[in-house]
Amino acid sequence: MDTALLFDNAVVLLPELVLAVGVLVLMMVDITRRGQNGSQLLANMSVVILLLGIGASVMIWSRAPVEYLDGAVSDGFAVSVRLVVLIAGVLGVFLSRNRFPAIERQGGAFYSLHLLAIIGMMLMGTATNLIVLFIALEIFSLALYILSGFYRESPRSIEAAMKYFLLGAFASTFFVYGSALLYGAGGSAHYARIHETLATGGGNPSLVWPGVALLLVGFGFKVSLVPFHMWTPDVYQGAPTPVTAFMSVGTKAAAFAGFFRVMMTALPSYHDQWAMPLAILAVITMTVGNLTALRQSSVKRMLAYSGIAHAGNILIALVAGTVSASAAAAFYLFAYAFMNIGAFAVIIALEKHTGNDNDVEQGRLAGVAERFPALAAAMAIFMLSLSGIPPLAGFFGKFLVFRAAVEEGWAWLVVFGVLNSAISAYYYLRVVVAMYFQQPEEVGDEKDPLDIPVSRSSLFVVTVSAVAVVVIGLQPGLWADLLRGLGQ
Amino acid sequence: MMLETSYYLVLAALIFTVGATGVLLRRNALIIFMCIEMMLNSVNLTLIALARQWGDLEGQIFVFMIMAVAAAEVAVGLAILIANVRHRKSINIDEINLLKW
């Protein structure tokens, strides 16, 4: 191969390259300060690296889509997903800066894995090749397996890592088997060539169906679609809360980005056939997610099930399968990043006050509004936005996705989506009601709650997220123009 | 004589099924892990067979990537397993029950 080809269009991967170099520098710095405790420096470095990454994405924002070595493309969708992942990453780093003992002790490992996960997630959105897609998926999955078990002293955290790993590795085998069969069907690992071969009547069409079904299992696991969702609440609850916050948004954005691109560029000619099974899956996912969320006592588990329901909503966009639908999904994920991470940031701020290191029980939310009026107000904004009440960001995410689906004639699916939003309002509003209208029960051994001030970096994340949710809600058109779909 | 691709595909599918059944039925985390490796290798077989049918190198490159990833997965997986054994002195997955399934 001509070496010039290697550098041609390499700018497509500029944000990934920036982060990769950044990770190496971060590890070097960690080596030179071996033995020292505290990881604030590394956290600050990670923020700088991620901001450089965002800068690099903005730099290539307005370029026309070009492809790099048959493996990665820089269209609007890739850049939008990248932005979502990077934002989730920055907010996640700020949440991790809260002087958690385990992270303070092994900051080098924590932040480099965090950045590696982000690289993998960004690659998922740009991949135009099954091999690249698989590697990207594994890069971020492996990093997240370790991160979810990062509280090594906590049996729950290790248990979460163990479950995530065993089920994740199991799901990846289905994913890669599906990729192998698609490769066999189209005679190439490159999406556009698979499409070309199949659309002109060549290849092995009989391998397409098993291939798609197996891929669906793999993706279904990563974005936690019912019935592949069983790991989600356990891992979300057991993993360190900052990791949960980051991965709930990051994995969803990355896996959906990969899913969209495979289905819509490699298999658009089969859209009529895969749309219906996905629609049914979306209905089951939304319904089961919302109904189970109703019964959760842990706020983290509740958010896990709500995340499952949101995955169902985003799947509706894929069912519609148009370019505008993919742009709507990007907008949805963008809004979801702020409202979900914001909600987890409030949980982190409250964890220490409610007597549990790594979770908050719903019962303990009573009377929070009196003690922390600002946090309660922000949490209320996030909950209202998650349930899709206008004029907050979450509403417009749902609106755009549903509109794209109606335009393609999926009105019945949208009806299910709207009904499910109504169910979800119940458990989201229950949090708000608990914070504002319930009196806390007197617990004898409770420490004075005002001892520990809420840390500055948590407060920063909460503020940024709350402002973003409101601003996106007030100016949805602006952001909808910015976030683009496949091939745009 | 060249065997038809479909023989390889069926064999790979059988191995994959055996592996998947093992993952679902066995209770020892290490054996589950081995079953997952077996499933990955059946995918490798599929890819090699298909690459031969298409006379194309891409599938073989894919196989190398899967091997590399599988090695990385083993490293991470065994580390998590050991961390788990430190807490529980057991690798039976039925005893992993602090969090509700």
Side-chain angles (χ1 to χ4, degrees):
Chain A
M1 188 200 291
D2 196 2
T3 41
L5 211 59
L6 205 60
F7 297 105
D8 237 15
N9 294 335
V11 69
V12 167
L13 291 180
L14 191 61
E16 282 84 355
L17 292 173
V18 168
L19 257 74
V21 173
V23 173
L24 294 178
V25 173
L26 191 109
M27 288 195 233
M28 295 292 186
V29 172
D30 184 45
I31 289 173
T32 59
R33 51 193 292 285
R34 178 115 305 173
Q36 295 174 41
N37 215 341
S39 59
Q40 301 295 308
L41 169 71
L42 297 171
N44 296 341
M45 269 186 71
S46 311
V47 171
V48 172
I49 294 165
L50 288 168
L51 289 179
L52 286 175
I54 292 179
S57 324
V58 171
M59 246 179 72
I60 58 173
W61 199 276
S62 47
R63 294 171 73 98
V66 282
E67 198 167 355
Y68 176 61
L69 289 183
D70 285 355
V73 73
S74 68
D75 60 359
F77 191 59
V79 192
S80 308
V81 169
R82 218 178 242 154
L83 188 68
V84 173
V85 171
L86 283 169
I87 287 173
V90 173
L91 298 179
V93 170
F94 273 110
L95 290 182
S96 315
R97 268 181 91 238
N98 276 318
R99 301 188 184 281
F100 299 103
I103 301 175
E104 286 291 287
R105 225 174 308 129
Q106 302 220 295
F110 185 88
Y111 291 109
S112 42
L113 285 169
H114 197 93
L115 294 180
L116 282 169
I118 296 171
I119 296 177
M121 289 169 180
M122 294 199 298
L123 269 179
M124 282 289 277
T126 62
T128 57
N129 186 308
L130 291 169
I131 303 178
V132 179
L133 183 71
F134 172 63
I135 294 172
L137 181 92
E138 288 295 325
I139 290 177
F140 85 75
S141 300
L142 288 176
L144 287 180
Y145 299 150
I146 308 174
L147 286 180
S148 55
F150 212 80
Y151 287 177
R152 276 192 304 179
E153 282 78 25
S154 153
R156 281 167 182 268
S157 179
I158 291 293
E159 181 174 325
M162 181 93 171
K163 279 181 180 168
Y164 194 21
F165 171 74
L166 284 177
L167 291 172
F170 188 48
S172 319
T173 58
F174 282 88
F175 175 86
V176 72
Y177 196 18
S179 317
L181 293 181
L182 271 191
Y183 163 75
S188 169
H190 189 252
Y191 299 168
R193 280 204 287 279
I194 294 175
H195 171 56
E196 226 170 84
T197 313
L198 289 172
T200 50
N204 302 321
S206 56
L207 292 181
V208 170
W209 263 115
V212 170
L214 290 163
L215 263 189
L216 182 62
V217 176
F219 277 121
F221 175 84
K222 287 294 164 202
V223 300
S224 53
L225 299 178
V226 178
F228 314 112
H229 68 291
M230 298 306 289
W231 62 279
T232 317
D234 291 350
V235 174
Y236 279 26
Q237 190 185 9
T241 314
V243 174
T244 311
F246 162 63
M247 82 177 190
S248 65
V249 173
T251 26
K252 216 164 249 127
F256 263 117
F259 203 6
F260 266 79
R261 203 181 287 281
V262 173
M263 298 310 262
M264 287 170 60
T265 57
L267 302 159
S269 45
Y270 287 81
H271 178 259
D272 292 342
Q273 287 139 60
W274 54 253
M276 190 43 107
L278 286 189
I280 294 168
L281 216 55
V283 171
I284 301 175
T285 304
M286 288 186 296
T287 315
V288 173
N290 280 325
L291 290 180
T292 328
L294 291 177
R295 304 189 299 125
Q296 301 305 317
S297 62
S298 144
V299 179
K300 271 170 97 180
R301 279 184 92 83
M302 187 273 274
L303 282 173
Y305 280 107
S306 107
I308 295 170
H310 281 284
N313 283 332
I314 304 172
L315 194 60
I316 293 179
L318 182 55
V319 170
T322 54
V323 171
S324 62
S326 67
F331 184 92
Y332 197 117
L333 288 165
F334 186 65
Y336 184 69
F338 288 111
M339 55 201 189
N340 210 41
I341 292 185
F344 277 111
V346 174
I347 295 179
I348 290 178
L350 293 178
E351 269 170 3
K352 287 175 189 152
H353 301 278
T354 52
N356 188 334
D357 276 346
N358 201 23
D359 200 357
V360 174
E361 290 295 313
Q362 293 220 5
R364 292 303 196 90
L365 286 174
V368 163
E370 262 172 49
R371 285 189 286 163
F372 308 99
L375 281 183
M379 189 66 164
I381 292 179
F382 300 137
M383 290 295 127
L384 292 176
S385 176
L386 281 166
S387 65
I389 287 169
L392 296 167
F395 167 76
F396 290 100
K398 277 186 183 162
F399 173 74
L400 289 173
V401 167
F402 290 169
R403 192 183 63 183
V406 169
E407 277 168 4
E408 290 302 300
W410 292 95
W412 66 269
L413 189 56
V414 171
V415 171
F416 274 103
V418 173
L419 286 177
N420 265 293
S421 296
I423 303 177
S424 73
Y426 176 76
Y427 60 82
Y428 290 127
L429 291 179
R430 198 168 55 184
V431 171
V432 179
V433 170
M435 286 189 308
Y436 278 94
F437 302 113
Q438 283 174 10
Q439 289 306 314
E441 290 168 38
E442 288 300 322
V443 185
D445 60 347
E446 200 165 1
K447 288 176 233 135
D448 188 6
L450 296 175
D451 277 359
I452 329 156
V454 176
S455 83
R456 277 218 307 259
S457 53
S458 287
L459 219 51
F460 173 75
V461 174
V462 171
T463 318
V464 167
S465 307
V467 169
V469 167
V470 173
V471 168
I472 297 169
L474 292 177
Q475 289 286 343
L478 190 70
W479 301 98
D481 288 342
L482 207 60
L483 299 162
R484 288 165 297 165
L486 284 164
Q488 280 181 327
Chain B
M1 191 192 83
M2 209 160 108
L3 279 174
E4 239 184 275
T5 311
S6 58
Y7 290 109
Y8 294 103
L9 294 189
V10 170
L11 175 64
L14 281 176
I15 300 175
F16 190 87
T17 317
V18 171
T21 319
V23 171
L24 296 174
L25 296 184
R26 300 302 290 260
R27 287 286 156 263
N28 182 321
L30 265 179
I31 293 184
I32 291 179
F33 206 15
M34 284 158 67
C35 291
I36 289 173
E37 293 297 311
M38 190 155 84
M39 292 164 78
L40 280 177
N41 280 325
S42 79
V43 176
N44 286 345
L45 182 58
T46 309
L47 277 168
I48 296 277
L50 290 168
R52 194 190 63 159
Q53 189 200 18
W54 284 99
D56 179 54
L57 275 181
E58 230 172 348
Q60 301 189 13
I61 296 167
F62 205 157
V63 170
F64 279 116
M65 295 301 173
I66 293 178
M67 284 174 169
V69 164
E73 222 169 47
V74 169
V76 171
L78 288 181
I80 293 175
L81 247 167
I82 290 171
N84 189 56
V85 169
R86 291 226 172 101
H87 282 291
R88 249 174 285 260
K89 313 282 174 230
S90 156
I91 49 172
N92 187 330
I93 57 161
D94 283 335
E95 289 169 33
I96 305 180
N97 51 11
L98 281 177
L99 304 158
K100 296 173 275 184
W101 271 102

PDB file of all heavy atoms in Angstrom, chain A residues 187-212:
ATOM      1  N   GLY A 187     -19.517 -10.654   1.032  1.00  0.00           N
ATOM      2  CA  GLY A 187     -18.180 -10.828   0.486  1.00  0.00           C
ATOM      3  C   GLY A 187     -17.218  -9.713   0.843  1.00  0.00           C
ATOM      4  O   GLY A 187     -16.152  -9.592   0.257  1.00  0.00           O
ATOM      5  N   SER A 188     -17.600  -8.880   1.825  1.00  0.00           N
ATOM      6  CA  SER A 188     -16.720  -7.803   2.239  1.00  0.00           C
ATOM      7  C   SER A 188     -17.116  -7.384   3.641  1.00  0.00           C
ATOM      8  O   SER A 188     -18.255  -7.602   4.058  1.00  0.00           O
ATOM      9  CB  SER A 188     -16.849  -6.627   1.282  1.00  0.00           C
ATOM     10  OG  SER A 188     -16.184  -5.514   1.824  1.00  0.00           O
ATOM     11  N   ALA A 189     -16.165  -6.798   4.365  1.00  0.00           N
ATOM     12  CA  ALA A 189     -16.502  -6.299   5.693  1.00  0.00           C
ATOM     13  C   ALA A 189     -16.936  -4.843   5.615  1.00  0.00           C
ATOM     14  O   ALA A 189     -17.337  -4.265   6.603  1.00  0.00           O
ATOM     15  CB  ALA A 189     -15.313  -6.448   6.637  1.00  0.00           C
ATOM     16  N   HIS A 190     -16.846  -4.262   4.429  1.00  0.00           N
ATOM     17  CA  HIS A 190     -17.177  -2.848   4.255  1.00  0.00           C
ATOM     18  C   HIS A 190     -18.675  -2.703   3.982  1.00  0.00           C
ATOM     19  O   HIS A 190     -19.202  -3.345   3.080  1.00  0.00           O
ATOM     20  CB  HIS A 190     -16.355  -2.289   3.095  1.00  0.00           C
ATOM     21  CG  HIS A 190     -16.448  -0.818   2.972  1.00  0.00           C
ATOM     22  ND1 HIS A 190     -17.132  -0.210   1.970  1.00  0.00           N
ATOM     23  CD2 HIS A 190     -15.959   0.175   3.746  1.00  0.00           C
ATOM     24  CE1 HIS A 190     -17.060   1.095   2.122  1.00  0.00           C
ATOM     25  NE2 HIS A 190     -16.353   1.355   3.199  1.00  0.00           N
ATOM     26  N   TYR A 191     -19.327  -1.834   4.761  1.00  0.00           N
ATOM     27  CA  TYR A 191     -20.796  -1.744   4.676  1.00  0.00           C
ATOM     28  C   TYR A 191     -21.279  -1.473   3.251  1.00  0.00           C
ATOM     29  O   TYR A 191     -22.169  -2.161   2.740  1.00  0.00           O
ATOM     30  CB  TYR A 191     -21.328  -0.610   5.553  1.00  0.00           C
ATOM     31  CG  TYR A 191     -21.047  -0.735   7.019  1.00  0.00           C
ATOM     32  CD1 TYR A 191     -21.259   0.348   7.858  1.00  0.00           C
ATOM     33  CD2 TYR A 191     -20.586  -1.920   7.577  1.00  0.00           C
ATOM     34  CE1 TYR A 191     -21.005   0.259   9.213  1.00  0.00           C
ATOM     35  CE2 TYR A 191     -20.334  -2.007   8.931  1.00  0.00           C
ATOM     36  CZ  TYR A 191     -20.540  -0.920   9.743  1.00  0.00           C
ATOM     37  OH  TYR A 191     -20.296  -0.996  11.068  1.00  0.00           O
ATOM     38  N   ALA A 192     -20.703  -0.441   2.631  1.00  0.00           N
ATOM     39  CA  ALA A 192     -21.214  -0.027   1.325  1.00  0.00           C
ATOM     40  C   ALA A 192     -21.053  -1.153   0.307  1.00  0.00           C
ATOM     41  O   ALA A 192     -21.925  -1.365  -0.546  1.00  0.00           O
ATOM     42  CB  ALA A 192     -20.483   1.229   0.860  1.00  0.00           C
ATOM     43  N   ARG A 193     -19.956  -1.906   0.413  1.00  0.00           N
ATOM     44  CA  ARG A 193     -19.757  -3.006  -0.552  1.00  0.00           C
ATOM     45  C   ARG A 193     -20.705  -4.168  -0.264  1.00  0.00           C
ATOM     46  O   ARG A 193     -21.154  -4.844  -1.193  1.00  0.00           O
ATOM     47  CB  ARG A 193     -18.304  -3.462  -0.521  1.00  0.00           C
ATOM     48  CG  ARG A 193     -17.407  -2.528  -1.328  1.00  0.00           C
ATOM     49  CD  ARG A 193     -16.151  -3.225  -1.796  1.00  0.00           C
ATOM     50  NE  ARG A 193     -15.218  -3.439  -0.707  1.00  0.00           N
ATOM     51  CZ  ARG A 193     -14.397  -2.507  -0.252  1.00  0.00           C
ATOM     52  NH1 ARG A 193     -14.406  -1.293  -0.784  1.00  0.00           N
ATOM     53  NH2 ARG A 193     -13.577  -2.760   0.736  1.00  0.00           N
ATOM     54  N   ILE A 194     -21.001  -4.403   1.027  1.00  0.00           N
ATOM     55  CA  ILE A 194     -21.992  -5.439   1.339  1.00  0.00           C
ATOM     56  C   ILE A 194     -23.318  -5.073   0.689  1.00  0.00           C
ATOM     57  O   ILE A 194     -23.969  -5.893   0.022  1.00  0.00           O
ATOM     58  CB  ILE A 194     -22.182  -5.573   2.869  1.00  0.00           C
ATOM     59  CG1 ILE A 194     -20.906  -6.093   3.521  1.00  0.00           C
ATOM     60  CG2 ILE A 194     -23.360  -6.487   3.185  1.00  0.00           C
ATOM     61  CD1 ILE A 194     -20.974  -6.141   5.034  1.00  0.00           C
ATOM     62  N   HIS A 195     -23.688  -3.795   0.849  1.00  0.00           N
ATOM     63  CA  HIS A 195     -24.947  -3.324   0.272  1.00  0.00           C
ATOM     64  C   HIS A 195     -24.945  -3.484  -1.243  1.00  0.00           C
ATOM     65  O   HIS A 195     -25.896  -3.985  -1.830  1.00  0.00           O
ATOM     66  CB  HIS A 195     -25.179  -1.869   0.660  1.00  0.00           C
ATOM     67  CG  HIS A 195     -26.328  -1.237  -0.055  1.00  0.00           C
ATOM     68  ND1 HIS A 195     -27.589  -1.775  -0.019  1.00  0.00           N
ATOM     69  CD2 HIS A 195     -26.402  -0.126  -0.832  1.00  0.00           C
ATOM     70  CE1 HIS A 195     -28.405  -1.021  -0.741  1.00  0.00           C
ATOM     71  NE2 HIS A 195     -27.706  -0.026  -1.250  1.00  0.00           N
ATOM     72  N   GLU A 196     -23.830  -3.091  -1.851  1.00  0.00           N
ATOM     73  CA  GLU A 196     -23.701  -3.180  -3.297  1.00  0.00           C
ATOM     74  C   GLU A 196     -23.903  -4.618  -3.787  1.00  0.00           C
ATOM     75  O   GLU A 196     -24.684  -4.880  -4.692  1.00  0.00           O
ATOM     76  CB  GLU A 196     -22.291  -2.737  -3.676  1.00  0.00           C
ATOM     77  CG  GLU A 196     -22.192  -1.769  -4.828  1.00  0.00           C
ATOM     78  CD  GLU A 196     -20.773  -1.242  -4.901  1.00  0.00           C
ATOM     79  OE1 GLU A 196     -19.943  -1.940  -5.503  1.00  0.00           O
ATOM     80  OE2 GLU A 196     -20.499  -0.177  -4.314  1.00  0.00           O
ATOM     81  N   THR A 197     -23.171  -5.540  -3.137  1.00  0.00           N
ATOM     82  CA  THR A 197     -23.234  -6.938  -3.567  1.00  0.00           C
ATOM     83  C   THR A 197     -24.657  -7.477  -3.423  1.00  0.00           C
ATOM     84  O   THR A 197     -25.181  -8.127  -4.321  1.00  0.00           O
ATOM     85  CB  THR A 197     -22.284  -7.797  -2.714  1.00  0.00           C
ATOM     86  OG1 THR A 197     -21.042  -7.137  -2.645  1.00  0.00           O
ATOM     87  CG2 THR A 197     -22.120  -9.176  -3.304  1.00  0.00           C
ATOM     88  N   LEU A 198     -25.271  -7.187  -2.261  1.00  0.00           N
ATOM     89  CA  LEU A 198     -26.590  -7.762  -2.013  1.00  0.00           C
ATOM     90  C   LEU A 198     -27.642  -7.115  -2.903  1.00  0.00           C
ATOM     91  O   LEU A 198     -28.564  -7.778  -3.380  1.00  0.00           O
ATOM     92  CB  LEU A 198     -26.964  -7.593  -0.538  1.00  0.00           C
ATOM     93  CG  LEU A 198     -26.172  -8.479   0.422  1.00  0.00           C
ATOM     94  CD1 LEU A 198     -26.475  -8.101   1.852  1.00  0.00           C
ATOM     95  CD2 LEU A 198     -26.485  -9.951   0.192  1.00  0.00           C
ATOM     96  N   ALA A 199     -27.517  -5.783  -3.123  1.00  0.00           N
ATOM     97  CA  ALA A 199     -28.540  -5.081  -3.892  1.00  0.00           C
ATOM     98  C   ALA A 199     -28.512  -5.496  -5.359  1.00  0.00           C
ATOM     99  O   ALA A 199     -29.524  -5.438  -6.047  1.00  0.00           O
ATOM    100  CB  ALA A 199     -28.341  -3.574  -3.763  1.00  0.00           C
ATOM    101  N   THR A 200     -27.347  -5.941  -5.846  1.00  0.00           N
ATOM    102  CA  THR A 200     -27.278  -6.361  -7.239  1.00  0.00           C
ATOM    103  C   THR A 200     -27.531  -7.863  -7.391  1.00  0.00           C
ATOM    104  O   THR A 200     -27.261  -8.438  -8.433  1.00  0.00           O
ATOM    105  CB  THR A 200     -25.890  -6.022  -7.834  1.00  0.00           C
ATOM    106  OG1 THR A 200     -24.887  -6.521  -6.933  1.00  0.00           O
ATOM    107  CG2 THR A 200     -25.709  -4.544  -8.011  1.00  0.00           C
ATOM    108  N   GLY A 201     -28.031  -8.476  -6.332  1.00  0.00           N
ATOM    109  CA  GLY A 201     -28.426  -9.879  -6.440  1.00  0.00           C
ATOM    110  C   GLY A 201     -27.295 -10.869  -6.253  1.00  0.00           C
ATOM    111  O   GLY A 201     -27.482 -12.067  -6.409  1.00  0.00           O
ATOM    112  N   GLY A 202     -26.094 -10.374  -5.898  1.00  0.00           N
ATOM    113  CA  GLY A 202     -24.977 -11.288  -5.689  1.00  0.00           C
ATOM    114  C   GLY A 202     -24.889 -11.739  -4.248  1.00  0.00           C
ATOM    115  O   GLY A 202     -25.813 -11.537  -3.449  1.00  0.00           O
ATOM    116  N   GLY A 203     -23.775 -12.374  -3.915  1.00  0.00           N
ATOM    117  CA  GLY A 203     -23.536 -12.764  -2.528  1.00  0.00           C
ATOM    118  C   GLY A 203     -24.351 -13.954  -2.081  1.00  0.00           C
ATOM    119  O   GLY A 203     -24.919 -14.690  -2.896  1.00  0.00           O
ATOM    120  N   ASN A 204     -24.396 -14.158  -0.785  1.00  0.00           N
ATOM    121  CA  ASN A 204     -25.177 -15.248  -0.213  1.00  0.00           C
ATOM    122  C   ASN A 204     -26.334 -14.672   0.602  1.00  0.00           C
ATOM    123  O   ASN A 204     -26.222 -14.526   1.812  1.00  0.00           O
ATOM    124  CB  ASN A 204     -24.332 -16.090   0.752  1.00  0.00           C
ATOM    125  CG  ASN A 204     -23.108 -16.665   0.086  1.00  0.00           C
ATOM    126  OD1 ASN A 204     -23.184 -17.078  -1.067  1.00  0.00           O
ATOM    127  ND2 ASN A 204     -22.010 -16.696   0.805  1.00  0.00           N
ATOM    128  N   PRO A 205     -27.431 -14.305  -0.045  1.00  0.00           N
ATOM    129  CA  PRO A 205     -28.527 -13.671   0.704  1.00  0.00           C
ATOM    130  C   PRO A 205     -29.034 -14.547   1.853  1.00  0.00           C
ATOM    131  O   PRO A 205     -29.581 -14.030   2.824  1.00  0.00           O
ATOM    132  CB  PRO A 205     -29.610 -13.463  -0.341  1.00  0.00           C
ATOM    133  CG  PRO A 205     -28.952 -13.631  -1.646  1.00  0.00           C
ATOM    134  CD  PRO A 205     -27.736 -14.485  -1.460  1.00  0.00           C
ATOM    135  N   SER A 206     -28.832 -15.869   1.750  1.00  0.00           N
ATOM    136  CA  SER A 206     -29.374 -16.730   2.810  1.00  0.00           C
ATOM    137  C   SER A 206     -28.649 -16.510   4.129  1.00  0.00           C
ATOM    138  O   SER A 206     -29.155 -16.870   5.187  1.00  0.00           O
ATOM    139  CB  SER A 206     -29.244 -18.193   2.400  1.00  0.00           C
ATOM    140  OG  SER A 206     -27.905 -18.480   2.100  1.00  0.00           O
ATOM    141  N   LEU A 207     -27.457 -15.892   4.096  1.00  0.00           N
ATOM    142  CA  LEU A 207     -26.740 -15.643   5.347  1.00  0.00           C
ATOM    143  C   LEU A 207     -27.158 -14.335   5.994  1.00  0.00           C
ATOM    144  O   LEU A 207     -26.789 -14.060   7.134  1.00  0.00           O
ATOM    145  CB  LEU A 207     -25.227 -15.632   5.098  1.00  0.00           C
ATOM    146  CG  LEU A 207     -24.575 -16.957   4.719  1.00  0.00           C
ATOM    147  CD1 LEU A 207     -23.073 -16.765   4.535  1.00  0.00           C
ATOM    148  CD2 LEU A 207     -24.821 -17.997   5.789  1.00  0.00           C
ATOM    149  N   VAL A 208     -27.929 -13.506   5.261  1.00  0.00           N
ATOM    150  CA  VAL A 208     -28.259 -12.193   5.801  1.00  0.00           C
ATOM    151  C   VAL A 208     -29.103 -12.326   7.065  1.00  0.00           C
ATOM    152  O   VAL A 208     -28.821 -11.718   8.090  1.00  0.00           O
ATOM    153  CB  VAL A 208     -29.005 -11.341   4.759  1.00  0.00           C
ATOM    154  CG1 VAL A 208     -29.566 -10.091   5.396  1.00  0.00           C
ATOM    155  CG2 VAL A 208     -28.059 -10.988   3.633  1.00  0.00           C
ATOM    156  N   TRP A 209     -30.127 -13.170   7.010  1.00  0.00           N
ATOM    157  CA  TRP A 209     -31.045 -13.263   8.136  1.00  0.00           C
ATOM    158  C   TRP A 209     -30.386 -13.736   9.416  1.00  0.00           C
ATOM    159  O   TRP A 209     -30.461 -13.042  10.425  1.00  0.00           O
ATOM    160  CB  TRP A 209     -32.245 -14.162   7.796  1.00  0.00           C
ATOM    161  CG  TRP A 209     -33.366 -13.296   7.366  1.00  0.00           C
ATOM    162  CD1 TRP A 209     -33.925 -13.250   6.136  1.00  0.00           C
ATOM    163  CD2 TRP A 209     -34.014 -12.297   8.142  1.00  0.00           C
ATOM    164  NE1 TRP A 209     -34.880 -12.274   6.089  1.00  0.00           N
ATOM    165  CE2 TRP A 209     -34.961 -11.675   7.306  1.00  0.00           C
ATOM    166  CE3 TRP A 209     -33.881 -11.844   9.444  1.00  0.00           C
ATOM    167  CZ2 TRP A 209     -35.786 -10.646   7.736  1.00  0.00           C
ATOM    168  CZ3 TRP A 209     -34.686 -10.815   9.881  1.00  0.00           C
ATOM    169  CH2 TRP A 209     -35.637 -10.235   9.031  1.00  0.00           C
ATOM    170  N   PRO A 210     -29.699 -14.893   9.376  1.00  0.00           N
ATOM    171  CA  PRO A 210     -29.011 -15.271  10.621  1.00  0.00           C
ATOM    172  C   PRO A 210     -28.011 -14.214  11.059  1.00  0.00           C
ATOM    173  O   PRO A 210     -27.881 -13.943  12.258  1.00  0.00           O
ATOM    174  CB  PRO A 210     -28.304 -16.582  10.263  1.00  0.00           C
ATOM    175  CG  PRO A 210     -28.511 -16.809   8.821  1.00  0.00           C
ATOM    176  CD  PRO A 210     -29.586 -15.919   8.347  1.00  0.00           C
ATOM    177  N   GLY A 211     -27.343 -13.579  10.090  1.00  0.00           N
ATOM    178  CA  GLY A 211     -26.369 -12.547  10.435  1.00  0.00           C
ATOM    179  C   GLY A 211     -27.007 -11.395  11.186  1.00  0.00           C
ATOM    180  O   GLY A 211     -26.541 -10.980  12.245  1.00  0.00           O
ATOM    181  N   VAL A 212     -28.129 -10.894  10.633  1.00  0.00           N
ATOM    182  CA  VAL A 212     -28.802  -9.763  11.281  1.00  0.00           C
ATOM    183  C   VAL A 212     -29.315 -10.155  12.661  1.00  0.00           C
ATOM    184  O   VAL A 212     -29.193  -9.402  13.627  1.00  0.00           O
ATOM    185  CB  VAL A 212     -29.964  -9.267  10.396  1.00  0.00           C
ATOM    186  CG1 VAL A 212     -30.815  -8.270  11.146  1.00  0.00           C
ATOM    187  CG2 VAL A 212     -29.420  -8.644   9.138  1.00  0.00           C
TER     188      VAL A 212
END
